[in-house]
Amino acid sequence: MSATLVLVQILNGLQLGILLFLIAAGLTLVFGVMGFINLAHGVQYMVGAYFAVAFYGLTGNFLAAMLLALASALALGLALEFLVFRHLYDRDHLDQVLATFGVILFLNQATTVIWGPAPLIIPQPEFLSGSIPLVGGLLYPVYRLTIIAAGLAVAALLWFIVTRTRLGMLVRAGASNPDMVSALGVDVRRLFMIVFGFGAMLAGFAGVLAAPIFSVEPGMGDNMLIVAFVVIIVGGIGSIRGSFIAALLIGLVDTLGRSMMTDILKLFMEPSAANQIGPAIASMLIYVLMAAILFFRPTGLFSVGRAA
Amino acid sequence: MSEAALSGAADRSVAATETILHGYLVSASIFLTLAAVPFMGFLGPEGFILPLVTRMMILALAAIALDLILGHGGLVSFGHAAFVGLGAYAAAIMVTEGVTEVWAILAVVLLVTAMFALVTGYVCLRTSGVYFIMITLAFGQMVFFAASSLSAYGGDDGLTLWDNASLFGTGWLADDRGLFYVTLAVLVACFLLVQSIVASRFGRVLRAARENERRTASLGVDVFRVRLAAYLISGMLAGVAGILLTCQAEFVSPAAMAWQRSGELIFMVVLGGMATRNGALIGAIAFVALEHILSDLTHDWKLIFGPLLIVIVVYSRGGLAALLRRITGGAVRV
Amino acid sequence: MSEPALLADGLYKSFGALCVSDNVCFELGGGECLALIGPNGAGKTTLINQLSGFVESDAGAIRFAGRDITHLSPDARARAGLARSFQITSVIPSFSVLENVALAVQARAGSSFRFFGRAAGERALNDEAMAALARVRLDDRALSPAGSLSHGEKRVLELAIALAMKPKALLLDEPMAGMGREESQQLVALLADLKATCPMLLVEHDMDAVFALADRVAVLVYGRIIAEGTPDEIRANAEVKAAYLGEDAA
């Protein structure tokens, strides 16, 4: 495999990692601050993508579609919070998991009913189309680079909010000790809603970004969600920094693994055997990585105070 | 002990025995009813009813297995479909490769599921709470993707069996009625096994650890080892359900171990009533019935099922078992 | 007896900037009761957690019955004979009183890896459990669910559970907490009885109990032991009085 191909895969890995981070950040915040495990978070991602497609169809403008999609995703998130999630905050994790599972079933089916089961297409935005030359004659799509840049910008924004603002301080405090924060007179309900809404928008944003390059179909959020879980387990629940590093790590491992595993195996075994088990092993890599990390650090790389 | 205390204790002891008898009475009724199903022509055509009820029993087996670790152990495993799937795939692969004797298949499945449970359990069980749920979910997904990538055995599309497994060389398992009764026998056997485990010394420490892990450890119990053993048993029994699933469908696909299947298994246990004698059994039967009825109503039955699931979770406590107890004023203790 | 039953050597423990155990050293000899007193927040429960293995010390060593147990898990220490009670009552609420104690007997007697045979019907376990319950006079409540007991009865149940472990040393974390006068006196009598066969470290606020039971007293303030001696010596100690200013120390 040539160096340029490896570089392409590295960039693709970073791009996947960034998307994972956007999803995982909301997930880890919501769990860290509210103790609420939300299986339906992946649906926010899916909804972002679908609304982007729908509004693009209406407006013909990618940016307009994105803004409208974000607003709708936020609205849907808050509606879900009001209708379902707030009844679950005091329940145990089993109940939360089952109820949010029900939400996924319903919304995946609703998406199929409204838009049909076939994958939808949305073109990449005009002003971001084409490729730019990078090192060694390599051409890499502008759009994908934009995703990476956008994700880094959001990460920086999050870092700023969490470490430099009062809201961020409340979030960090809430992550280690929500009762204390409440006892200090902070309206915890509102804090929850802000955290939740923000997380929903992050996931929706990831969905919008992913729409032109991934397949927009019902259930697209489910697998991303589970990988996002892997990210926050590896990074440490409640830690945004942990989610960032873990997301990039997992994005890279998954992408590089899938593209290189079969070739690596061919160094040791028959090509036919390598072709058989290469893809299987590649698909298992990130989970094996997760297991290995947990073996040495059961609470993840950067875990924060709150007990799971 | 004073007179009053003695008789009070005796009363409570009688009540406890009554509950136990009650529970077994319900179990016996269910099993006897199931045994009579092939003779109940009024239910519908045999080619339809038998596979449906067989599926109920297979899932009941998986649910009972899950209840050991979930209800009694207090550990939410969101990856149990992986064990079912491992059993199903092992059976399908072995039959495809020519090994059809189900005892050989059983031996392999027990070994494979035990090893998977040992390795994943070792990682999962050192964590707790949400971590445990997420990690089991992740490992389940891992097995799902591994199976999807097995191009030699159908990959995404699944593997159709041209043969079926044989029991002592006979074709019982290939026949609707034969498979029905074999499944029932296996279900009853595993039901009794799990009952025994729950009431045993082992069950006692498992349940104690669920309620108060610190206290149990402070008594000298190695809680990790106990839970790992429970996880192993639970996984192996679920694998057995997988074998039967393959025999029944004569087909296996990664969909059998999708994470949604794990969620459905949990729902069955919760619906019936966690850690009750017959909860998992009732929950599985009710779930399959519900799924069948709803999917008859509309193709998009999950639109109804999703909210129904939410409502059940939010408003019911203790599942059908508790509901039955409340409705009958405590007369029926399931 | 040369080797003390329990020995703590230079235990340190900090949570962030807060030091809760600062070079804690003490010895518990056979047949004696060492009381550990100190104002709230002094670090007494954390110390018990370190001794019983639920919290890992930052530095220092713990020796029990001649072995270094510093790195043993809580269950391993319990199996070695170190029993403890909990400050906040910690029984198994849905189990009967009898089953709570039978569980302790079972854990001590060895194999919990028996998958067949109804544990609740095992005569050997039940008889030994009833004997422990009889000793604390809880036997008439044997079949009640432990969750239905009054607070005082639960504290006594904790003691019965500890007894059933046939421990070589006992760590008691505020056993009198929340108990009325009469109940406390009964518990004190029980513990006095027990002292000879089972040395105990008694963390307590109830000074009547401390002076009735303790052979020696150690005073823990902000993680450090500031004084150690007989109950009378401690009563007269000026530094101790200062630490307890505002509290009833006599």
Side-chain angles (χ1 to χ4, degrees):
Chain A
M1 248 208 159
S2 69
T4 36
L5 272 170
V6 173
L7 186 57
V8 166
Q9 294 305 337
I10 290 178
L11 286 170
N12 286 346
L14 286 177
Q15 171 216 295
L16 175 62
I18 288 287
L19 288 174
L20 282 173
F21 167 67
L22 290 173
I23 300 174
L27 205 51
T28 203
L29 268 179
V30 167
F31 184 77
V33 174
M34 297 149 74
F36 178 60
I37 170 171
N38 182 13
L39 239 54
H41 194 70
V43 157
Q44 295 288 154
Y45 164 81
M46 174 183 77
V47 153
Y50 266 94
F51 278 140
V53 174
F55 286 121
Y56 183 80
L58 283 177
T59 65
N61 181 311
F62 188 86
L63 277 178
M66 177 169 86
L67 290 170
L68 287 168
L70 283 180
S72 313
L74 177 63
L76 178 68
L78 292 176
L80 282 175
E81 199 270 344
F82 181 75
L83 286 171
V84 182
F85 300 154
R86 65 171 54 174
H87 300 287
L88 298 168
Y89 293 151
D90 295 325
R91 305 290 287 268
D92 62 25
H93 296 313
L94 173 62
D95 289 342
Q96 293 175 354
V97 150
L98 270 183
T100 49
F101 177 53
V103 170
I104 298 177
L105 289 179
F106 177 74
L107 285 174
N108 276 340
Q109 196 68 36
T111 310
T112 311
V113 167
I114 299 175
W115 282 289
L120 299 183
I121 312 285
I122 176 176
Q124 294 182 13
E126 289 274 316
F127 62 97
L128 290 174
S129 62
S131 313
I132 62 169
L134 296 176
V135 237
L138 163 70
L139 286 174
Y140 196 70
V142 174
Y143 184 70
R144 288 176 183 252
L145 280 176
T146 314
I147 292 182
I148 298 177
L152 288 173
V154 169
L157 177 69
L158 261 180
W159 175 83
F160 181 79
I161 293 178
V162 168
T163 54
R164 291 272 184 274
T165 67
R166 190 166 171 273
L167 174 65
M169 180 198 66
L170 287 175
V171 165
R172 274 183 294 135
S176 342
N177 197 336
D179 296 324
M180 180 61 86
V181 169
S182 176
L184 289 172
V186 174
D187 185 347
V188 181
R189 268 272 128 97
R190 254 186 55 194
L191 182 65
F192 280 9
M193 261 186 51
I194 294 174
V195 169
F196 187 82
F198 196 62
M201 277 209 323
L202 283 175
F205 183 52
V208 171
L209 289 176
I213 48 176
F214 287 166
S215 180
V216 179
E217 52 187 351
M220 66 187 278
D222 301 344
N223 188 49
M224 284 300 261
L225 171 83
I226 296 180
V227 182
F229 273 159
V230 176
V231 165
I232 70 177
I233 293 170
V234 166
I237 294 184
S239 163
I240 297 199
R241 174 176 48 151
S243 297
F244 185 71
I245 295 177
L248 292 181
L249 177 65
I250 286 175
L252 283 168
V253 168
D254 191 53
T255 310
L256 287 170
R258 282 176 199 278
S259 60
M260 298 186 350
M261 183 52 65
T262 309
D263 290 332
I264 293 178
L265 285 180
K266 280 183 182 159
L267 296 175
F268 309 110
M269 52 176 76
E270 294 284 319
S272 55
N275 283 328
Q276 288 281 336
I277 50 178
I281 295 194
S283 65
M284 288 174 29
L285 271 181
I286 57 173
Y287 303 101
V288 173
L289 174 68
M290 173 191 79
I293 291 178
L294 284 176
F295 185 81
F296 297 105
R297 288 186 65 102
T299 48
L301 297 171
F302 299 94
S303 58
V304 160
R306 173 190 265 279
Chain B
M1 278 167 90
S2 67
E3 275 280 330
L6 257 174
S7 68
D11 279 341
R12 270 188 289 274
S13 177
V14 166
T17 316
E18 238 179 43
T19 310
I20 295 176
L21 281 178
H22 241 129
Y24 279 124
L25 216 61
V26 172
S27 317
S29 321
I30 296 176
F31 290 133
L32 285 171
T33 312
L34 285 171
V37 159
F39 302 104
M40 298 190 202
F42 60 87
L43 285 174
E46 208 180 83
F48 169 71
I49 290 292
L50 286 192
L52 181 69
V53 181
T54 306
R55 186 170 133 78
M56 282 180 179
M57 295 194 289
I58 293 173
L59 290 177
L61 174 55
I64 288 172
L66 177 61
D67 196 23
L68 180 62
I69 192 80
L70 170 64
H72 298 285
L75 298 163
V76 183
S77 166
F78 212 110
H80 243 64
F83 290 109
V84 177
L86 282 171
Y89 260 88
I93 291 174
M94 285 177 77
V95 168
T96 305
E97 299 294 338
V99 181
T100 57
E101 180 49 57
V102 82
W103 292 106
I105 295 176
L106 180 66
V108 169
V109 165
L110 288 178
L111 187 65
V112 167
T113 48
M115 279 185 357
F116 183 73
L118 202 59
V119 171
T120 57
Y122 194 84
V123 174
C124 302
L125 288 169
R126 295 188 315 155
T127 70
S128 59
V130 188
Y131 279 97
F132 186 79
I133 302 177
M134 295 189 201
I135 297 170
T136 49
L137 184 54
F139 279 132
Q141 197 72 338
M142 176 180 90
V143 173
F144 172 77
F145 282 127
S148 303
S149 315
L150 278 179
S151 47
Y153 295 110
D156 257 339
D157 299 322
L159 181 64
T160 308
L161 261 55
W162 301 110
D163 268 325
N164 206 326
S166 56
L167 179 62
F168 296 126
T170 69
W172 282 1
L173 297 170
D175 167 59
D176 272 355
R177 277 205 177 203
L179 181 62
F180 184 92
Y181 281 112
V182 170
T183 305
L184 179 58
V186 172
L187 175 62
V188 174
C190 292
F191 172 83
L192 292 173
L193 175 66
V194 170
Q195 291 302 311
S196 173
I197 292 175
V198 167
S200 71
R201 283 195 180 198
F202 177 81
R204 177 187 267 173
V205 292
L206 181 67
R207 285 178 291 123
R210 176 196 71 206
E211 283 206 40
N212 196 332
E213 188 178 333
R214 283 206 135 191
R215 166 48 81 190
T216 310
S218 74
L219 294 175
V221 176
D222 188 340
V223 173
F224 175 77
R225 261 183 45 175
V226 168
R227 286 178 167 168
L228 188 58
Y231 193 64
L232 240 90
I233 297 171
S234 178
M236 294 196 289
L237 288 176
V240 172
I243 301 176
L244 293 167
L245 200 59
T246 293
C247 293
Q248 199 234 345
E250 290 177 342
F251 170 74
V252 73
S253 87
M257 36 197 169
W259 66 277
Q260 291 94 332
R261 302 289 93 68
S262 293
E264 287 163 10
L265 279 177
I266 297 179
F267 176 60
M268 288 177 218
V269 173
V270 170
L271 176 65
M274 290 198 299
T276 57
R277 195 171 307 280
N278 299 295
L281 183 58
I282 294 177
I285 294 176
F287 173 78
V288 175
L290 187 63
E291 185 187 54
H292 177 65
I293 294 172
L294 285 180
S295 57
D296 258 1
L297 277 179
T298 161
H299 175 257
D300 299 309
W301 60 279
K302 288 186 185 154
L303 278 180
I304 307 175
F305 183 64
L308 188 62
L309 175 51
I310 297 171
V311 165
I312 290 177
V313 167
V314 172
Y315 292 108
S316 96
R317 300 263 187 181
L320 291 171
L323 187 66
L324 275 170
R325 197 174 28 226
R326 273 200 299 270
I327 296 181
T328 60
V332 175
R333 261 159 290 163
V334 155
Chain C
M1 198 161 86
S2 49
E3 174 97 45
L6 179 65
L7 181 142
D9 184 11
L11 293 178
Y12 282 91
K13 181 67 191 174
S14 301
F15 291 110
L18 185 66
C19 181
V20 286
S21 294
D22 189 353
N23 196 15
V24 171
C25 304
F26 67 80
E27 277 181 26
L28 177 66
E32 75 165 343
C33 170
L34 170 65
L36 190 65
I37 65 177
N40 273 322
K44 304 193 291 295
T45 295
T46 310
L47 182 60
I48 297 226
N49 282 337
Q50 289 175 70
L51 293 170
S52 56
F54 285 98
V55 165
E56 207 179 315
S57 311
D58 295 331
I62 305 169
R63 289 189 70 82
F64 175 65
R67 293 167 60 191
D68 185 340
I69 64 167
T70 322
H71 301 292
L72 284 188
S73 65
D75 50 281
R77 296 186 202 199
R79 284 193 296 276
L82 184 62
R84 71 166 287 181
S85 73
F86 289 86
Q87 183 183 18
I88 300 174
T89 309
S90 185
V91 296
I92 315 279
S94 71
F95 282 14
S96 67
V97 166
L98 178 64
E99 199 168 11
N100 266 276
V101 186
L103 176 64
V105 176
Q106 172 187 323
R108 193 206 81 236
S111 189
S112 286
F113 279 85
R114 292 207 198 147
F115 302 92
F116 303 101
R118 229 183 109 240
E122 281 192 52
R123 279 301 293 275
L125 296 181
N126 287 348
D127 286 347
E128 223 187 293
M130 282 302 278
L133 284 174
R135 235 176 129 178
V136 300
R137 301 218 288 269
L138 256 189
D139 46 329
D140 56 337
R141 304 279 270 146
L143 293 174
S144 308
S148 71
L149 261 51
S150 74
H151 176 78
E153 287 171 324
K154 281 186 193 159
R155 301 304 276 156
V156 172
L157 175 57
E158 286 240 354
L159 185 62
I161 293 173
L163 280 180
M165 291 170 67
K166 297 219 168 69
K168 298 202 186 93
L170 198 44
L171 305 171
L172 295 161
D173 197 350
E174 298 189 37
M176 315 293 167
M179 284 179 97
R181 196 161 180 74
E182 208 185 288
E183 291 175 314
S184 296
Q185 284 175 341
Q186 285 172 356
L187 193 51
V188 166
L190 273 169
L191 289 174
D193 238 357
L194 192 54
K195 207 170 49 168
T197 48
C198 180
M200 51 184 76
L201 177 70
L202 174 67
V203 167
E204 247 313 328
H205 279 299
D206 181 342
M207 289 308 158
D208 290 333
V210 169
F211 290 117
L213 287 169
D215 297 301
R216 286 183 303 122
V217 179
V219 185
L220 192 68
V221 179
Y222 292 134
R224 306 191 66 236
I225 295 191
I226 62 165
E228 196 179 323
T230 67
D232 290 327
E233 285 168 3
I234 294 300
R235 223 195 284 238
N237 187 309
E239 228 186 309
V240 172
K241 282 199 194 143
Y244 268 100
L245 202 65
E247 290 208 35
D248 190 359

